[in-house]
Amino acid sequence: MGRYLLLLVVVVAAFQDLWASGGRTDGLSRWGTTWGKHNHRGAASSRSRASHLSRIKPEQQNNTEILAQVGGRVTIKCYTRFLGNEIVTWLKRDEDHLLTAGSQVYSSDVRFSVAHIKNQDLWQLSLRDVRLSDAGLYECQLTTHPPTSLFFTLKVVEARAVIEGQPATHFHLGHTLRLHCIVERATEEPMYIFWYHNGSMVNYYPNKPDRISKHSYSSILTINNLTWSHAGDYRCEPPLASPASITVHITRPPAAMQNTGEGRGVGAGGGGRIMVGVGVALSFSPPIVPWSSPLYLLFCLLAASW
């Protein structure tokens, strides 16, 4: 009697597990399909807005926030399609300072320029070599009756470079050094990112064993087969951003690691041995069989009858 009760419990549990997993899969599929449709619709809507910027209404572009980084260039766009073909005057409102009137620049600051794109009914105020003091409220004023004004808030940030990891790190002799530099708070992609070792640029070392790969806002420095000469200070320096530095110490690996050749640094050596142990454990562990597997049910039936 006990064997039949055990068999009944196993069968009920198997069907419950199969039903629950099937329900979750269907639910995820329906959710994924719905999300895909909404995501596709959102992307199409973004492209539509981007292609019709010239049709933007005054109340939609008023009080717009614009972000710029120190040392970079910024352009403030004022569309006048719905306001008539009027002359635009640009002012820095929080300082009550006249910048331009029409196509004429009245500011003594040579960093300002103005452009009128007639086929788009667009007036652009451009500013190069942005400074922190340039942040504030800018006004696009049209000579209508009464005058119409659109306001733009310029925010200025300072970009900086960051090297992942601790300020000082240790690597073993003969192993691989990998440093990852990321440019944060940047509003425009840096044209280059230079690496320095003890004050000397390593990007263009002749016959160097280094490998530098640049991505949009980051750079990775890789040095294989470390020697004692690779110790010292490393600096990552992008344009228009504060640099970042890190100190690298080279140490002799333990005798056990010299025999196995595992690990990339003091911390990475132990991690390499742990990963090897996990791989061996997984390769010899028995496979996990779900409740809904027919093979497992057959095994239970044979065990119960036996």
Side-chain angles (χ1 to χ4, degrees), residues 76 106 154:
I76 306 176
Y106 286 92
L154 177 63

Side-chain angles (χ1 to χ4, degrees), residues 110-279:
V110 296
R111 298 178 301 135
F112 286 100
S113 62
V114 64
H116 183 203
I117 305 176
K118 296 182 179 179
N119 62 337
Q120 297 185 26
D121 293 325
L122 170 63
W123 287 85
Q124 293 185 155
L125 177 68
S126 297
L127 175 63
R128 56 182 175 84
D129 298 329
V130 176
R131 305 168 185 166
L132 288 174
S133 58
D134 294 325
L137 187 64
Y138 289 79
E139 178 182 355
C140 170
Q141 186 181 95
L142 285 79
T143 56
T144 56
H145 298 283
T148 302
S149 294
L150 299 174
F151 295 93
F152 303 84
T153 301
L154 177 63
K155 294 185 176 181
V156 181
V157 297
E158 293 183 279
R160 65 176 185 179
V162 176
I163 299 178
E164 293 183 345
Q166 300 297 325
T169 184
H170 295 73
F171 289 85
H172 287 139
L173 188 68
H175 293 163
T176 299
L177 168 68
R178 185 178 183 272
L179 300 179
H180 189 191
C181 174
I182 303 174
V183 184
E184 297 181 343
R185 304 176 185 174
T187 60
E188 50 190 85
E189 180 179 337
M191 297 181 61
Y192 56 86
I193 298 178
F194 288 148
W195 285 93
Y196 294 86
H197 176 220
N198 292 332
S200 300
M201 184 185 294
V202 301
N203 294 65
Y204 304 106
Y205 266 180
N207 301 323
K208 65 180 185 303
D210 312 330
R211 184 173 72 253
I212 299 177
S213 57
K214 180 184 178 302
H215 306 281
S216 47
Y217 287 89
S218 66
S219 177
I220 298 176
L221 170 65
T222 304
I223 302 178
N224 299 314
N225 194 22
L226 288 173
T227 63
W228 300 113
S229 62
H230 289 126
D233 295 326
Y234 287 83
R235 188 171 79 252
C236 160
E237 190 170 314
L240 308 180
S242 57
S245 60
I246 189 173
T247 301
V248 173
H249 301 280
I250 306 298
T251 59
R252 190 180 300 278
M257 294 187 63
Q258 291 180 9
N259 294 333
T260 60
E262 296 171 1
R264 294 183 179 179
V266 171
R273 292 193 294 273
I274 292 174
M275 290 301 294
V276 171
V278 171

Side-chain angles (χ1 to χ4, degrees), residues 35-96:
W35 180 87
K37 291 181 179 178
H38 285 295
N39 187 49
H40 177 73
R41 192 179 300 118
S45 177
S46 299
R47 289 193 298 269
S48 177
R49 287 195 299 270
S51 61
H52 295 86
L53 282 176
S54 60
R55 301 180 183 178
I56 192 169
K57 295 182 179 180
E59 60 271 17
Q60 292 175 306
Q61 61 177 332
N62 197 21
N63 300 319
T64 301
E65 288 188 356
I66 300 171
L67 193 64
Q69 72 180 82
V70 173
R73 181 182 180 91
V74 64
T75 298
I76 306 176
K77 299 181 179 182
C78 180
Y79 291 94
T80 61
R81 178 178 295 274
F82 293 91
L83 300 175
N85 189 19
E86 301 291 340
I87 295 179
V88 164
T89 299
W90 284 98
L91 305 96
K92 194 169 191 300
R93 175 48 61 192
D94 48 0
E95 296 178 0
D96 200 20

